[in-house]
Every structure is written in structure tokens, then in C-alpha cells.
Amino acid sequence: MDLTLSSKKADKTIVEVEGVGGYYTWSSSQFPVLSQKKVAGGLLVLQPRGFALPHYADSSKIGYVCEGECIAGLISPEDSKEEVIKIQKGDALPITVGTVSWWYNGGDTKLTIIFLGESSEDYTPGEFCYFFLTSAAGILNGFSNELIAKTFHMTETESEKLVKDQSGLNIIIKVNEGIQIPNGSTSAKRKFVYNLDGAKPCVEVKNGGHLSSVSSKNILLLGEIGLSANRVVLECGAVLGPIFTADSSIHLSYITKGSGRVVIVGLFGKVVLDTKVEEGDLFFVPKFFPFVVEADEGGIEFFSVKTSSKQVYGELSGGKKSVWEAASPSILEASLNMTPDLTKYFKSKIAKGAVIAPPSNV
């Protein structure tokens, strides 16, 4: 298995407008594992009044708000109804393939959203491909004035002006103060959004950290697109794992804050990655490969998307869900070549643990 798993920062700038914002990705040429395993990531940054123009993409993904707040519009091709949603730090929002969306920073601070998802149907494997409705790169530019005039029941003079007015627009712009962006709908937010930062953790360990997740149990749409997500916060010196994805899915993570160490073990116990990671890095975990994340002195936080609508992990650490805890004492004694007393001691330690372990000196 020839996989390059080293962590990477976004290396490709799709658009960047000074004082307005930008969109950045991880190129499959520099991070080939993305194209090999058909996953992708993108980072949207908008300054106040920054606006990402309406577009759709060739893949499904989950957006997570790392900082700031945003008003997003979603138009599904199935019902052609615009859902306007206000999202904030910690919110996770799924976007299905072909859904038209727009994004507006209506706050007073910088907005950052990380998008992670699958790319099995992408034109460029390992990278999201976008189709913009408007702007100089918009689809209207590809059709003649005559066709546009007939489509929109306009004169050719009117259609020519419509297309010409797009020619000076970038795909990210700053909205004039006189334009009123729609307000978000509370009912739409309940349907599409899950706040991972404020959710009750699935795992919480004193002096260690916590793990929160969102799956099809929380947002039905995730069942349709086959994705789920989690957020992990580790305090100084704490460790997550070892764990592995137990349902053939793969795991793509983005470091939102802090730094630490990631260790991934592959076939026959071979270490395939042992590296330092920090804010802005993306790292990939293949299916069934156990991995560990250890926080540095300042702690670490990361958001992950899993290519399954369920959160199914095999736990090789401590806790009630641990494989070690479930195994019979005689099986452990034989498999680990331990004495009965040592096996009993090992089982007692496992029972007291969890998938997150605090530093040993706490």
C-alpha cells in the first residue's frame, strides 16, 4: 500500500481578494492521498460583509465554522426552495452534491469555515469542483446573448447587459451596505445544523478533554450523503486512542487550534505516520488503521469527517467499549503472554480508562 500520509496545510489558492476573503484547498498533486482515497477539503475565509457568490459543487461535504458567524443560503435542486440559515462558531452544516449555496459574513469579525467531504464523483479527484451561477467565472458567460434572451424572456440588449454586468465580479465580493441580506430561519437551522461545540460530549474526561459527534441520528441529511463528523478537544498532554474506523470508512481531520502529535499504525504493526501537527494542518487516516493523537502543552482541537453516516470506531484504549475490556481474561492471557495476575491487573486498568486519557502526571 503506497500512501503518503504526511499532514499538510492548504497549498492552493482558488481566489483571494484583499480585505474581502479567499478560498483555499489542498491540491491532489501535493497531497496525493486525497485523490487516491476520493476525499477533499476546502477552507473559506470571509471578512465582514464578504460574500461567496451562489454556486454548486460536484460532491457532498460538511462545513464546520471554526470562527465567526455567517448567513448561508441553500437551494436544493429537488424543491428549489431557498433555506437561509444563520450559523456560528461550532456549527456543522452538511451540503449535498448539486445544492446551490451562498455564504455571507454578517458579523464584525473574520469568518473561517472548513469543508471536508468525499470526492468520488469529482471532475478532479481529491478536489472539490465548483460551478458559479454569476461572476466573471459564472455559467452565464458560456451562453450566447440570443440563448440567454430566449431563456429569461428578455431582449438581446437586456441579456447583453446582464452578462456584461457579471464581467467585473470576482467569485468572492464585498456586499454594499445598502443591500439587505435575508435573515436566517430558526426552523431551517434546527433541520440542517448541529453545534458540535455546545453539544453534550459523547466522551468527557477530567483533565483529558472531550469528544462530540454528529451523525444521521442528529441530522437526517447525513444519512443521505453518507457522512458524519466529530470534534475533539484534548488538554495539555492528553491522548486520544488508539482507535480505528471499524466500518470501512476513512477519516479526514483538520486542526482548528493548538498542536500535537499524530501516530498512525498500518499493516503488520508498521508505523506509517508519526508527525507533529498544528493549526491549519489536514491529516488523513485510512480505513482500519489505528491512530493516536497526543496534545502538546497548549492542547489541541480538531474537526473530523468520516465517510460513513454512523460513528463506528474500534477502541483499543481503555473504557467500557474497549476491545481489551470485552475480551475474556484467558484470551488476553494467551494472546499477550501474561500471567493470570498481570492479566487481572491489566483488565482492571482498562476498565477504569476511556478513549481519552489525561496526562500520566495528573
Side-chain angles (χ1 to χ4, degrees), residues 341-362:
D341 288 343
L342 187 55
T343 301
K344 184 177 180 180
Y345 176 76
F346 178 68
K347 288 273 286 184
S348 70
K349 290 295 184 180
I350 290 295
K352 294 178 181 178
V355 70
I356 293 176
S360 56
N361 60 350
V362 175

Side-chain angles (χ1 to χ4, degrees), residues 190-205:
R190 284 197 298 264
K191 181 179 178 182
F192 295 107
V193 178
Y194 189 82
N195 189 278
L196 284 168
D197 289 21
K200 182 179 179 180
C202 306
V203 179
E204 189 168 21
V205 176

Side-chain angles (χ1 to χ4, degrees), residues 3-328:
L3 293 176
T4 303
L5 301 181
S6 57
S7 61
K8 301 280 186 180
K9 284 185 169 59
D11 65 291
K12 186 175 181 180
T13 300
I14 303 301
V15 61
E16 189 172 59
V17 182
E18 186 176 356
V20 180
Y23 185 75
Y24 314 90
T25 67
W26 286 259
S27 64
S28 54
S29 60
Q30 294 299 313
F31 206 174
V33 71
L34 298 180
S35 59
Q36 292 170 357
K37 296 303 175 182
K38 298 179 173 57
V39 288
L43 190 67
L44 175 66
V45 177
L46 292 176
Q47 299 297 337
R49 299 212 323 272
F51 181 55
L53 298 182
H55 58 274
Y56 58 92
D58 58 357
S59 55
S60 297
K61 51 193 172 290
I62 300 177
Y64 172 79
V65 183
C66 303
E67 61 179 329
E69 61 182 49
C70 173
I71 297 176
L74 304 176
I75 305 173
S76 169
E78 294 185 4
D79 57 22
S80 296
K81 175 186 176 183
E82 184 180 57
E83 301 280 9
V84 181
I85 308 166
K86 184 175 182 179
I87 54 178
Q88 61 189 15
K89 184 182 182 304
D91 280 343
L93 171 66
I95 302 98
T96 60
V97 58
T99 291
V100 172
S101 69
W102 51 260
W103 308 80
Y104 174 69
N105 182 355
D108 299 322
T109 60
K110 182 175 73 171
L111 166 74
T112 303
I113 303 178
I114 179 69
F115 295 98
L116 302 178
E118 58 85 29
S119 63
S120 58
E121 302 298 329
D122 283 14
Y123 280 101
T124 305
E127 299 181 35
F128 299 134
C129 293
Y130 294 97
F131 299 81
F132 282 82
L133 273 61
T134 63
S135 80
I139 59 176
L140 291 181
N141 292 286
F143 297 102
S144 67
N145 290 332
E146 181 184 2
L147 284 175
I148 291 175
K150 288 181 178 180
T151 299
F152 298 116
H153 308 287
M154 305 169 73
T155 66
E156 287 196 31
T157 301
E158 291 170 334
S159 67
E160 183 179 2
K161 184 179 187 306
L162 175 65
V163 174
K164 187 177 180 180
D165 286 346
Q166 307 297 311
S167 61
L169 288 179
N170 213 319
I171 58 178
I172 289 178
I173 65 171
K174 192 166 189 174
V175 173
N176 295 329
E177 292 186 9
I179 297 178
Q180 185 65 44
I181 300 297
N183 293 319
S185 163
T186 303
S187 60
K189 184 165 185 174
R190 284 197 298 264
K191 181 179 178 182
F192 295 107
V193 178
Y194 189 82
N195 189 278
L196 284 168
D197 289 21
K200 182 179 179 180
C202 306
V203 179
E204 189 168 21
V205 176
K206 184 179 180 181
N207 299 317
H210 59 269
L211 181 155
S212 303
S213 66
V214 58
S215 65
S216 56
K217 293 181 180 179
N218 312 109
I219 301 178
L220 292 177
L221 191 59
L222 290 175
E224 297 178 23
I225 65 176
L227 297 174
S228 60
N230 59 58
R231 174 180 179 259
V232 175
V233 176
L234 296 178
E235 298 182 25
C236 169
V239 174
L240 170 75
I243 59 174
F244 63 93
T245 59
D247 56 0
S248 297
S249 62
I250 54 181
H251 187 102
L252 190 63
S253 299
Y254 175 78
I255 311 298
T256 59
K257 186 178 180 180
S259 61
R261 178 188 179 197
V262 173
V263 181
I264 303 174
V265 175
L267 298 174
F268 307 110
K270 180 182 177 182
V271 176
V272 294
L273 182 68
D274 185 347
T275 189
K276 179 180 176 64
V277 292
E278 59 186 15
E279 183 176 336
D281 280 346
L282 190 73
F283 71 90
F284 168 88
V285 182
K287 60 184 181 182
F288 301 120
F289 281 29
F291 68 98
V292 165
V293 179
E294 181 182 23
D296 281 345
E297 184 176 347
I300 190 171
E301 300 180 15
F302 57 97
F303 168 73
S304 306
V305 160
K306 190 169 176 281
T307 57
S308 167
S309 60
K310 299 178 180 179
Q311 288 280 305
V312 181
Y313 288 95
E315 298 184 12
L316 299 173
S317 52
K320 295 180 179 179
K321 295 183 178 180
S322 171
V323 172
W324 305 113
E325 170 65 12
S328 303

